[in-house]
Amino acid sequence: MMSRQEKVKQIEECLSQSEVNIWQLREFCLTGGGLINNDIRQRTWYKLVGIDPNQSVLSDDCPSTGTVDSIADILDDTDDDDDDDDHDDDHHDKVPILETSFSEDTELISRDVGRAVYFRYKSLQETKKNNESLNFGDSGKNILTKIIVSTVSNNANGQGQGGGRRLNYYQGFHDVASVIFVTMPQKPELASKILQRIALSHLRDAMKKDFTYSSALLETTFFPLLQVFDEELHDFLILRELEPTVFLTWMITLFAHDIHDSEVASRLFDAILAFHPLLPLYLTLAILIHPKNRQKLFEAKNKEVGMLQVVATRLLSGLMNDFDTSHQDGFSAQEVIDVALGFMKRIPPESLLSLAKQYDLGQCKIVMKRSELLCLFNLPQSSAIVQPNIDSINEKEKMNLVDDNEKTIPTVFLPTKEYPNALIAAGISS
């Protein structure tokens, strides 16, 4: 694995080009250290999810009240004690919100933010001790809350960029927002744009009225995939009656809820945000099958099912930064990303439904029917993001862009064999 300095140099060289090669950036996300630091992430995450940073989160046909200065404006809280916090936020970008009937969820969001993983990050606590500039306390809570409210309320009535899809807030979404916020604490409006794009892509099934469809994904694909990749572990977990939905929290929070190190969470997000929304499913399998984790699961064979669930869900506590070699019992994000890529190459996303239907232990017809309706199973092959932009099209799609009059093809960066990992993780078959 190349050093931090060498990789930063290569990424900066890529970003310095007049036309940034998105596929090269995506390949960087899949190799040791990912995008390395938050300065680079602030300049690349929005590119990776296909966002124009100059475009408002709000659509033209959505009525807007402009901006808000604090959560008090959202909750109609007139307590004068909030005035100081409002003043503290003035130097931040304003996050637009809507006048909607969304108020029933704002109190829940406010409460959830108070216990968000953001406030448990080890690296942030060290930053706070060093008196470095970062958002903590009430100021940080207010900004994080505004980011979430802006993101969800934009589509609360099926309006906004969701194309008529309503976004329903759920507990755990605040942890996803925490990772985005801690990566760009001084850019809350950009954080809101990125969060909304994730909500409309990776989390679009989770943000329906309940978790019926998100659960169906695990119920129909988890064991068929595990049987292919590790039949012994598959048989063990079947025998111990471990339900796949035990890992629902990992999926709906993109692992953020159980990772208390912001550097590790951001590094994992490098890979998740840049690629196919089903990558977290493969990462879940890769984490379980990692030799150290696999051993821990088998060692729990004499424990009750409830304890086995605890052991399984705590495996994420061993996830380390790619450059951290201090913990002998842990495993790096890069290790599980490499394994997940191998899994995706063997069983690409487009083959998951077929695999599920052929599972020799059978499938519940009702749950199988739900899986067939999953948004994540109905994406174009090149869908690394919710709305594949010009640099995620394949050769056939490229030819469709030819102007019959001009006989020219737009300048694009096409996926090539030069970036094999990126092709796999984007769900593009060779």
Side-chain angles (χ1 to χ4, degrees):
M1 184 169 67
M2 73 174 71
S3 66
R4 291 175 185 264
Q5 294 78 6
E6 179 61 28
K7 189 163 190 186
V8 167
K9 181 179 178 181
Q10 290 190 14
I11 296 174
E12 292 289 0
E13 182 178 347
C14 175
L15 292 174
S16 68
Q17 303 301 311
S18 58
E19 294 183 358
V20 176
N21 188 332
I22 299 297
W23 285 96
Q24 185 179 17
L25 275 184
R26 289 172 176 163
E27 193 77 13
F28 285 136
C29 293
L30 295 174
T31 55
L35 296 175
I36 303 297
N37 60 53
N38 287 348
D39 174 66
I40 292 176
R41 291 183 178 108
Q42 289 178 27
R43 292 180 285 141
T44 56
W45 274 8
Y46 73 87
K47 295 179 184 291
L48 292 170
V49 297
I51 285 176
D52 178 355
N54 298 315
Q55 183 180 14
S56 171
V57 172
L58 302 177
S59 65
D60 293 338
D61 58 352
C62 275
S64 172
T65 60
T67 61
V68 293
D69 288 329
S70 76
I71 186 60
D73 294 331
I74 302 171
L75 301 179
D76 294 325
D77 184 352
T78 57
D79 191 340
D80 292 337
D81 291 340
D82 286 332
D83 291 345
D84 292 338
D85 290 338
D86 296 350
H87 178 73
D88 291 339
D89 290 348
D90 284 345
H91 66 284
H92 295 292
D93 297 339
K94 297 298 198 310
V95 182
I97 66 166
L98 299 176
E99 273 185 34
T100 67
S101 58
F102 186 68
S103 59
E104 67 270 16
D105 281 342
T106 53
E107 291 188 26
L108 174 60
I109 293 173
S110 183
R111 289 197 302 271
D112 285 349
V113 163
R115 52 181 179 264
V117 69
Y118 164 73
F119 299 99
R120 301 196 298 273
Y121 282 145
K122 301 173 185 176
S123 55
L124 292 188
Q125 296 304 321
E126 294 173 0
T127 300
K128 186 177 181 182
K129 289 179 182 178
N130 295 331
N131 295 318
E132 297 177 29
S133 176
L134 199 58
N135 296 311
F136 279 96
D138 291 338
S139 176
K141 291 178 183 178
N142 288 346
I143 298 171
L144 181 55
T145 302
K146 286 188 287 185
I147 289 172
I148 298 171
V149 171
S150 171
T151 299
V152 182
S153 65
N154 187 24
N155 280 74
N157 294 318
Q159 296 176 314
Q161 294 181 12
R165 292 189 298 273
R166 175 187 173 93
L167 297 181
N168 295 278
Y169 174 78
Y170 60 86
Q171 290 181 299
F173 188 67
H174 63 297
D175 288 323
V176 178
S178 293
V179 179
I180 308 299
F181 179 38
V182 76
T183 302
M184 46 194 73
Q186 308 301 328
K187 299 182 178 182
E189 185 166 4
L190 182 59
S192 183
K193 293 175 184 178
I194 293 172
L195 185 61
Q196 184 175 93
R197 182 53 62 91
I198 297 170
L200 295 172
S201 56
H202 298 70
L203 301 175
R204 60 168 69 183
D205 289 305
M207 301 203 77
K208 294 180 179 179
K209 64 179 181 179
D210 56 40
F211 293 142
T212 298
Y213 290 94
S214 294
S215 297
L217 171 64
L218 285 169
E219 290 170 346
T220 54
T221 63
F222 178 85
F223 278 120
L225 279 171
L226 186 59
Q227 186 178 48
V228 173
F229 302 141
D230 190 332
E231 189 169 7
E232 183 180 11
L233 183 59
H234 165 273
D235 294 347
F236 172 73
L237 296 183
I238 286 289
L239 183 63
R240 296 306 312 278
E241 299 182 342
L242 185 74
E243 294 293 333
T245 49
V246 166
F247 305 105
L248 183 62
T249 299
W250 289 6
M251 297 290 292
I252 65 173
T253 68
L254 304 179
F255 308 98
H257 180 73
D258 296 294
I259 300 177
H260 297 170
D261 187 319
S262 62
E263 292 184 5
V264 175
S266 296
R267 192 275 166 271
L268 205 58
F269 267 47
D270 289 341
I272 292 173
L273 301 194
F275 295 104
H276 198 288
L278 283 170
L279 177 59
L281 174 63
Y282 295 89
L283 286 170
T284 296
L285 273 295
I287 290 167
L288 297 177
I289 295 175
H290 187 281
K292 293 179 180 178
N293 295 334
R294 190 175 185 273
Q295 181 179 352
K296 291 178 181 179
L297 291 172
F298 280 117
E299 288 176 351
K301 63 181 180 181
N302 294 323
K303 297 181 179 179
E304 296 180 358
V305 175
M307 286 304 299
L308 178 60
Q309 293 179 3
V310 172
V311 171
T313 54
R314 286 182 178 175
L315 293 176
L316 269 183
S317 64
L319 191 64
M320 306 181 306
N321 186 289
D322 294 345
F323 297 100
D324 187 356
T325 59
S326 61
H327 302 291
Q328 299 299 321
D329 293 334
F331 57 100
S332 71
Q334 189 58 46
E335 289 180 83
V336 294
I337 288 172
D338 287 341
V339 174
L341 288 176
F343 290 167
M344 288 189 80
K345 186 174 183 179
R346 290 177 62 185
I347 310 290
E350 63 188 37
S351 300
L352 284 176
L353 271 179
S354 176
L355 177 71
K357 292 176 181 178
Q358 297 172 13
Y359 183 49
D360 57 14
L361 294 186
Q363 296 278 12
C364 171
K365 291 184 178 180
I366 296 177
V367 177
M368 193 69 232
K369 186 65 177 178
R370 290 172 185 160
S371 289
E372 293 173 353
L373 298 176
L374 278 166
C375 294
L376 299 187
F377 281 151
N378 293 282
L379 298 170
Q381 187 188 46
S382 58
S383 183
I385 56 177
V386 59
Q387 295 173 348
N389 56 11
I390 196 71
D391 44 51
S392 68
I393 60 176
N394 60 34
E395 188 68 29
K396 182 177 179 180
E397 291 167 333
K398 172 187 174 183
M399 297 311 298
N400 291 333
L401 294 176
V402 177
D403 188 310
D404 291 335
N405 296 322
E406 298 291 335
K407 296 299 181 183
T408 59
I409 299 175
T411 301
V412 294
F413 287 105
L414 296 168
T416 69
K417 292 183 179 180
E418 184 179 357
Y419 311 113
N421 290 332
L423 286 173
I424 295 170
I428 298 178
S429 302
S430 58

